[in-house]
Amino acid sequence: MYILEKAPAKINLTLDVLYKRPDQFHEIAMVMTTVDLADRLEFFLLDKDRIEISSENRFVPNDERNLAYRAAKLLKERYHIKQGVRILIDKQIPVAAGLAGGSSDAAATLRGLNRLWKLHLPMETLAELGSEVGSDVSFCVYDSTALAEGRGELITELPAPPHCWVVLAKPVQGVSTQSVYQSLNLENLNHPDTEGMIEAIRSGDYYGVCDRLKNVLETVTLPKNPEVEQIKQQMLRSGADAVLMSGSGPTVFGLVQQESRADRIYNSLRGFCEEVYVVRLLGTHQTLD
């Protein structure tokens, strides 16, 4: 028996950091949604009581450094599962890109093993478990559009934003999320209009969404990585309606309504970076056929 799960990339429509908490995590508020760039995970029962991770991508670890491994281990230990599992990860989301690829894999693992091991856990329980694996995993469990608060584990689901095309561009140089947060100056931040973004989504106002894209982590990543700013400006010159860095970076995304304009932006970026994608915005859970 085996199970298939899709693990889509996420983008931040807003990312706000409010303050540093006593537990040293940052209190955040961010509106996130999903795009049609996804890893594909396959889950196979094993006779032996162990977790095996396999991927052709050399950047995907096969031990506890892998969030999917941690998610599987957490489920096994919490619910005393004696069956083993082999997890095949077809990696399509760039690594260390600000697109939550590892978190989405972990969330897909929770959903997939919930089915494979017939645990019948509700999504709310899977999301709670996800918060023990990583900050973005709870959001990724729902695989939709949501406001994430706390340190990312408090999820309020939202409708999908208006349909559009998304151009993603990832520079070669990676970014450390931890170092970005450590370098963030919490004084005098220009905070996103989170409530305005939520209202624009609820009312299906595409240009309202575009007008409210904002990510406070750009104040750290952009000065240290000028190529990120260059990509943003190139997208705008090529006709993107709005452009933002996702997460802590370095991936930048641009929103457009016309596929022809998305293709034009794609072609204009090929000289700037090798990893460029044109995808549709999803915003709701997608199942594999």
Side-chain angles (χ1 to χ4, degrees), residues 22-230:
D23 62 8
Q24 299 306 302
F25 286 102
H26 287 83
E27 184 75 13
I28 58 176
M30 51 190 180
V31 177
M32 297 185 285
T33 191
T34 54
V35 298
D36 195 17
L37 173 66
D39 296 342
R40 177 188 171 103
L41 283 75
E42 299 180 49
F43 304 89
F44 300 84
L45 283 176
L46 290 179
D47 294 332
K48 296 182 180 179
D49 185 11
R50 66 186 182 194
I51 300 165
E52 296 180 359
I53 302 282
S54 179
S55 176
E56 293 184 359
N57 188 308
R58 62 189 178 91
F59 295 110
V60 176
N62 61 2
D63 53 23
E64 292 209 24
R65 293 170 296 166
N66 190 304
L67 294 183
Y69 185 103
R70 289 188 217 169
K73 183 179 178 183
L74 177 62
L75 269 185
K76 276 181 65 65
E77 293 178 349
R78 189 66 50 87
Y79 295 97
H80 311 291
I81 305 298
K82 299 306 179 184
Q83 291 178 307
V85 62
R86 185 177 185 219
I87 306 173
L88 301 183
I89 302 177
D90 177 11
K91 196 72 182 165
Q92 300 297 320
I93 303 172
V95 176
L99 298 173
S103 295
S104 192
D105 289 350
T109 297
L110 292 173
R111 293 193 305 268
L113 294 183
N114 189 39
R115 294 161 58 201
L116 187 73
W117 289 335
K118 297 180 172 57
L119 298 176
H120 307 294
L121 301 173
M123 293 288 276
E124 293 80 7
T125 300
L126 296 180
E128 289 172 11
L129 290 164
S131 70
E132 299 181 42
V133 179
S135 294
D136 285 337
V137 180
S138 296
F139 164 79
C140 293
V141 163
Y142 287 99
D143 188 16
S144 57
T145 303
L147 168 68
E149 298 175 286
R151 60 180 184 88
E153 81 283 9
L154 304 175
I155 305 299
T156 303
E157 287 198 90
L158 298 169
H163 290 294
C164 65
W165 293 90
V166 183
V167 183
L168 299 164
K170 178 189 177 292
V172 173
Q173 185 65 40
V175 171
S176 164
T177 299
Q178 183 178 1
S179 67
V180 170
Y181 274 95
Q182 287 174 345
S183 303
L184 184 65
N185 182 359
L186 293 173
E187 302 297 325
N188 303 316
L189 279 180
N190 185 4
H191 295 281
D193 180 9
T194 305
E195 289 303 318
M197 175 62 79
I198 292 171
E199 179 55 34
I201 290 172
R202 290 192 187 280
S203 60
D205 181 0
Y206 171 74
Y207 287 104
V209 169
C210 290
D211 290 343
R212 291 169 177 82
L213 292 186
K214 191 168 188 62
N215 179 351
V216 299
L217 299 185
E218 286 190 339
T219 61
V220 176
T221 302
L222 266 58
K224 294 182 177 181
N225 300 270
E227 66 273 24
V228 177
E229 179 64 35
Q230 290 173 355

Side-chain angles (χ1 to χ4, degrees), residues 167-168 261-271 276-278:
V167 183
L168 299 164
R261 199 189 301 178
D263 291 337
R264 186 164 74 238
I265 297 168
Y266 173 88
N267 291 328
S268 77
L269 289 168
R270 294 301 291 166
V276 186
Y277 309 85
V278 176

